[in-house]
Every structure is written in structure tokens, then in C-alpha cells.
Amino acid sequence: MDSAFLVKFLEDRRTPIIKKKYHSYLSYRGIKEDYIYILKEGVVKTSVIMRDGREFNFSYLKATDIVSLLRDEVSNYTDSPFNVRVETAEASFYRIPRVKFWTFVKEKKELQDYVRDYYRNKLSESMESQQYMMMNGKKGAVCFHLQKLCSLFGVEQDDGFLIDFNITNEDIAGISTRNSVNRILNELKREGVLDIRQQKIVILDIERIEEFIGRETF
């Protein structure tokens, strides 16, 4: 997807920009929202709170990305499908009314193509996530999260990939508990698959991570 096109499109129309600080929320699940937000700078986390009070993390998003799902084309308001929280010191967002955005989509072929690709990519990501989260056990699920984090924040080192972002066990947990994640991370550390350095994860053997989730390396 050509994010440069989307940025230029929004800038040319002088789309308003809002800013949020670290750990502030852009939206909450179930709250009605009349804007579409596009992440301009920073990192956000999407999640929902489950019935037992645990937070289920869907994904991290980096700029540039559409944060809110688009839903239908005519409603002024729609319920937010998840919580969106800022995970960097600050994040900025283009903010555009939902109906106005869809008017632009109808008028411009390139934007129609962008939105179509957005839906296709999100559907593919969702299906892949369900597949690897549900079919590989807790260890496979943790490794899947690590692989995703590595693809987003990985910085190549002499001996592996540093996930250059502060991640907690709760962030990795997903369908597992924090204690389960801690146990699995310690197992992976003993097996030489990863290391913890200055409270950040270094993937020493990305091929082993991929083996646990049954996919080819990125």
C-alpha cells in the first residue's frame, strides 16, 4: 500500500491533525465515533478488555496506517471496535469526518484502490493471526507475537534482531497469562532462541521462532 499517496492526499486537503500523549487513549471500544483517524507519527496499540478483566492485544500500528475501521459509508457515527492507546511519547493523527472521507473515496479512483487494499490486507492479517494463535499452542502463540514485533520494531544486530520497543509480558500474552508468557520466554532464553538485554528482547534465532509457528522466515 502506498502510504505516501495517502499522506499527500490528506496534506493537500489540509486535514486537521491532533496529538495524543503516551498512554492516552484515542478511542474506547463501544464508544460512538464520528471520525476516521490515520496515524501520522508514533505507535499505537489496539486491544479489547475481556470479561475476566484481561487485556487482549490485537496489534501494534506504526505510522502511516488507518487506525479506525472504516465500516459503512453513510453513518455519521459508528461504535469503535477496540481501544486505541498511544505507546510512544507522543502520536499524531489525521482526523477526518467519516462521511467526508467516504465522499472523497467515491470521487477519487486512487483512494478507492487504497481502501480496497486496506481491507484486503486487514482481512489477510486477521486470518493469519487467528490461524497461528489458535493452532500452535501457547508457545506458538507467543512466538507468533514475537515474530510480529520483530517485523515491526526489529533492528538487526551482530547476533540477531533487537526488538527496539518496550514490551511487557502482558503485551505479548494474548490468550495466555502473564505467568505463562514469562515461563515461555525463560524457556526460549534457555534454548538460546532469545535474550533479554536492558529490558528489551533480542531474537537470537529467528528460524527457530518461525519453526514454532510453522511458517517461513520473513
Side-chain angles (χ1 to χ4, degrees):
M1 295 172 64
D2 184 7
S3 59
F5 156 74
L6 182 60
V7 170
K8 185 177 186 306
F9 181 88
L10 296 169
E11 291 286 349
D12 287 347
R13 285 152 185 80
R14 298 182 179 179
T15 305
I17 295 171
I18 66 166
K19 296 183 178 182
K20 293 282 187 177
K21 298 295 185 181
Y22 176 68
H23 274 191
S24 62
Y25 282 83
L26 177 71
S27 62
Y28 293 93
R29 181 173 184 250
I31 301 298
K32 291 190 178 300
E33 183 59 69
D34 58 344
Y35 291 99
I36 286 173
Y37 296 95
I38 293 93
L39 181 61
K40 182 177 186 288
E41 294 178 335
V43 176
V44 299
K45 180 176 72 174
T46 62
S47 67
V48 296
I49 304 299
M50 297 187 291
R51 289 184 178 181
D52 61 4
R54 287 187 296 142
E55 186 175 29
F56 182 88
N57 300 322
F58 284 118
S59 64
Y60 284 91
L61 301 177
K62 292 174 62 177
T64 304
D65 202 339
I66 299 176
V67 175
S68 39
L69 293 179
L70 304 182
R71 297 283 179 97
D72 64 271
E73 305 175 22
V74 295
S75 300
N76 286 317
Y77 297 90
T78 189
D79 292 346
S80 178
F82 38 60
N83 303 328
V84 179
R85 191 178 78 175
V86 174
E87 296 299 314
T88 42
E90 185 177 82
S92 58
F93 307 84
Y94 295 104
R95 185 177 71 175
I96 182 168
R98 292 170 37 76
V99 173
K100 185 176 183 179
F101 183 84
W102 280 114
T103 300
F104 289 150
V105 171
K106 293 175 182 178
E107 294 173 350
K108 193 167 185 65
K109 177 65 165 57
E110 284 181 278
L111 190 56
Q112 292 175 23
D113 293 340
Y114 188 94
V115 170
R116 184 191 62 239
D117 290 343
Y118 166 84
Y119 278 123
R120 180 185 297 128
N121 290 343
K122 292 302 179 184
L123 177 60
S124 177
E125 289 173 7
S126 177
M127 293 174 63
E128 181 186 53
S129 179
Q130 289 184 37
Q131 175 186 348
Y132 291 115
M133 287 287 293
M134 307 303 289
M135 298 179 63
N136 291 286
K138 290 183 179 180
K139 193 169 188 177
V142 169
C143 288
F144 176 68
H145 275 295
L146 292 175
Q147 191 277 335
K148 286 176 62 179
L149 292 169
C150 196
S151 65
L152 281 171
F153 307 114
V155 177
E156 190 168 0
Q157 309 286 295
D158 291 338
D159 57 349
F161 293 90
L162 167 69
I163 298 177
D164 194 17
F165 200 75
N166 292 322
I167 304 295
T168 67
N169 287 359
E170 289 90 342
D171 293 329
I172 301 172
I175 60 174
S176 303
T177 64
R178 180 180 60 181
N179 290 336
S180 294
V181 171
N182 187 57
R183 174 180 55 77
I184 291 168
L185 291 179
N186 284 330
E187 286 180 8
L188 293 171
K189 186 175 180 180
R190 288 194 299 270
E191 294 168 6
V193 177
L194 58 78
D195 194 12
I196 309 295
R197 299 173 188 170
Q198 297 181 336
Q199 298 183 323
K200 291 184 178 180
I201 297 173
V202 179
I203 305 297
L204 302 175
D205 192 341
I206 190 66
E207 292 184 357
R208 286 281 286 156
I209 291 289
E210 301 292 350
E211 286 176 8
F212 285 124
I213 59 179
R215 65 189 295 187
E216 295 179 355
T217 59
F218 65 90

